[in-house]
Amino acid sequence: MRKNNFGLGAMTAATLLAATSAQAGGLERGGYNIDLLFDPSDYVIDSSVTYVNPQRKLNNVRDTNPLDGTNAGRPSNGVRATEGYWVPRIGFKAGIGEAVDCMFDYSQPWGAHLNQGRNWVGANENIETKIKSDNYATTCSYSFDAGPGKFRIIGGAFYQEVSGFQERLAAELPAFLPFSGVGRLDLKGDGWGWRVGAAYEIEEYALRTSLVYNSAVDLDNITGTLDLRQLPGGLGGNPLAGGLTPVFGAASMPDSLEFKFQTGVAPGWLVFGGVKWTDWSQLQSLSFCPQSTRAIACTSRGPTEATSLDLFYRDGWTVSGGVGHKFNEQWSGALSLAWDRGVSTGLGTHTDTWTLGAGVSYTPTENIELRVSGALGLLTSGSSGPIVRNGQTYGRASYDFDNDLVSAISTSLKVKF
């Protein structure tokens, strides 16, 4: 049986706050988390679920092209853009001898859900967009004595599936026509990634530092359909109008580098923090082209592009810190503060986010740990509108947004044996 770390209750209470990062930049939901790998128990099952409720609303919405008629009779203020979502995670960790630990986990690192509906001025930019992901990972480490502590080498691999859809108003049509004018894009893709890192731990001081790199996941063969059957055939000279067209494309989910630290500062007290960089700038304008044109490169605004998802993100940075306290053998608590740099560059609503989190951990027996945490965050204000990249204009609507709130609650159960 492995020895338990000093202040474990405070450390696990601090760890659970990672799930309350709420609304991080880009398409991040749960992100990557390998904290379970460091649990000193021989065998551990850890499961959690987090509910996040962002309250982003749009104001002063203007249609970029008022001649298309989408302004008529539609609201332009107080438009709710975001939907609440769940983030599940489950993992199993096993100690193999005194030096090797391995964990196997399922998570949903990426996702998005924008749902302004059809009844708003910017319906030609978005009616509903939903993206989800499934990530299956194996991560192992090997540790050895180094000075007063232990040095740990970390490595692993993961398989990722990403899917989603977008609906938008492709054309404003007269009411007497038997068509809604709505177009829909459905997509799915998968790929592999890997991670490598290192950590150093001194049990006596509850000290741990870690640096982990997660590779990009190349979705080289995204496939799906562009459904324009709610448009009259050949409308506006578009040969795809009126039909269901198989499409293809490619994208890369971002790589990331994360540094974390924690250390005991007094009996029962722990401070922790971290810095994470995420390469969201990989996601610019994602082009999708008819399968029949695979012999031709599918490029943004290229001759075969059927449609695109226009993101134009910049790299993301997340900085967090906090303090944890072990009240007694059963109860621990923690507080944290996090700042996430917005990744939007003029198109979209991903501005800076500040999040305050709090959590408690209850250990009724040495084999069971229950955790509950919550977070309240500030989505900072900004504006979105058409942008020009490489001489091309992207974006179909302009709007402003004020400071908005995001809240989250998380529960988890850890069983050790």
Side-chain angles (χ1 to χ4, degrees):
M1 178 67 68
R2 297 186 177 193
K3 185 178 179 180
N4 285 336
N5 282 352
F6 167 78
L8 177 61
M11 284 186 282
T12 50
T15 300
L16 66 88
L17 295 176
T20 64
S21 57
Q23 182 96 338
L27 303 176
E28 187 155 338
R29 283 281 173 89
Y32 299 123
N33 189 325
I34 63 167
D35 287 343
L36 180 62
L37 188 67
F38 298 98
D39 193 291
S41 301
D42 289 320
Y43 303 99
V44 187
I45 297 175
D46 191 15
S47 62
S48 67
V49 62
T50 302
Y51 179 72
V52 183
N53 187 26
Q55 300 286 325
R56 181 65 90 190
K57 292 185 178 180
L58 312 179
N59 298 305
N60 304 316
V61 185
R62 290 90 65 195
D63 185 0
T64 302
N65 179 15
L67 297 180
D68 63 14
T70 60
N71 286 316
R74 292 191 173 131
S76 59
N77 288 294
V79 178
R80 174 75 181 266
T82 51
E83 293 278 353
Y85 55 87
W86 295 90
V87 184
R89 182 188 300 274
I90 186 168
F92 171 74
K93 177 257 179 181
I96 305 171
E98 290 296 320
V100 177
D101 295 282
C102 286
M103 65 170 283
F104 313 89
D105 70 296
Y106 165 79
S107 63
Q108 295 182 358
W110 322 121
H113 194 185
L114 299 175
N115 188 17
Q116 296 96 328
R118 182 172 176 176
N119 189 35
W120 75 299
V121 172
N124 60 345
E125 180 167 287
N126 186 70
I127 292 176
E128 184 176 10
T129 297
K130 190 171 185 178
I131 298 171
K132 64 165 292 188
S133 62
D134 297 292
N135 192 76
Y136 308 88
T138 299
T139 307
C140 292
S141 70
Y142 174 77
S143 60
F144 54 89
D145 292 336
K150 289 184 177 292
F151 189 80
R152 188 187 295 249
I153 300 173
I154 301 168
F158 43 92
Y159 169 70
Q160 202 165 105
E161 297 174 328
V162 181
S163 61
F165 70 87
Q166 182 184 58
E167 291 183 346
R168 68 178 186 86
L169 189 64
E172 185 73 61
L173 302 174
F176 61 81
L177 290 179
F179 303 99
S180 68
V182 173
R184 179 181 171 106
L185 176 67
D186 285 276
L187 300 169
K188 63 179 180 179
D190 57 21
W192 289 86
W194 53 270
R195 63 171 52 105
V196 64
Y200 186 70
E201 302 158 278
I202 302 179
E203 181 180 332
E204 180 182 0
Y205 304 111
L207 182 147
R208 182 172 77 228
T209 61
S210 64
L211 182 66
V212 177
Y213 171 78
N214 296 285
S215 78
V217 177
D218 294 328
L219 309 177
D220 293 327
N221 187 31
I222 299 176
T223 58
T225 57
L226 177 62
D227 188 350
L228 297 180
R229 289 175 293 184
Q230 288 299 316
L231 299 177
L235 180 69
N238 182 358
L240 305 182
L244 180 67
T245 304
V247 295
F248 75 97
S252 290
M253 303 312 295
D255 52 336
S256 65
L257 182 66
E258 184 169 18
F259 170 76
K260 288 183 176 182
F261 75 89
Q262 66 173 49
T263 184
V265 292
W269 289 90
L270 184 89
V271 295
F272 58 93
V275 178
K276 180 173 67 174
W277 164 81
T278 307
D279 189 15
W280 286 113
S281 60
Q282 293 196 50
L283 299 179
Q284 297 296 301
S285 181
L286 308 182
S287 300
F288 301 98
C289 300
Q291 289 278 8
S292 59
T293 66
R294 272 193 175 270
I296 305 172
C298 185
T299 59
S300 179
R301 299 299 171 89
T304 61
E305 183 185 74
T307 190
S308 64
L309 294 176
D310 302 325
L311 301 174
F312 294 102
Y313 290 153
R314 63 176 178 174
D315 288 354
W317 287 91
T318 304
V319 181
S320 62
V323 59
H325 180 54
K326 183 175 182 178
F327 301 105
N328 53 47
E329 292 303 315
Q330 291 185 318
W331 290 94
S332 301
L335 293 172
S336 72
L337 179 66
W339 168 75
D340 188 86
R341 187 182 83 157
V343 299
S344 293
T345 59
L347 191 66
T349 63
H350 284 291
T351 52
D352 290 8
T353 302
W354 291 87
T355 308
L356 179 66
V360 294
S361 171
Y362 174 58
T363 309
T365 73
E366 64 179 10
N367 301 110
I368 296 176
E369 183 180 355
L370 303 170
R371 291 161 288 173
V372 177
S373 62
L376 188 64
L378 177 70
L379 309 174
T380 57
S381 61
S383 60
S384 175
I387 60 175
V388 178
R389 296 289 188 272
N390 300 319
Q392 301 288 337
T393 300
Y394 299 84
R396 300 178 177 87
S398 300
Y399 45 83
D400 305 315
F401 42 91
D402 299 325
N403 292 328
D404 294 308
L405 292 178
V406 56
S407 58
I409 186 168
S410 177
T411 61
S412 63
L413 171 65
K414 179 181 285 189
V415 179
K416 314 168 193 180
F417 51 95

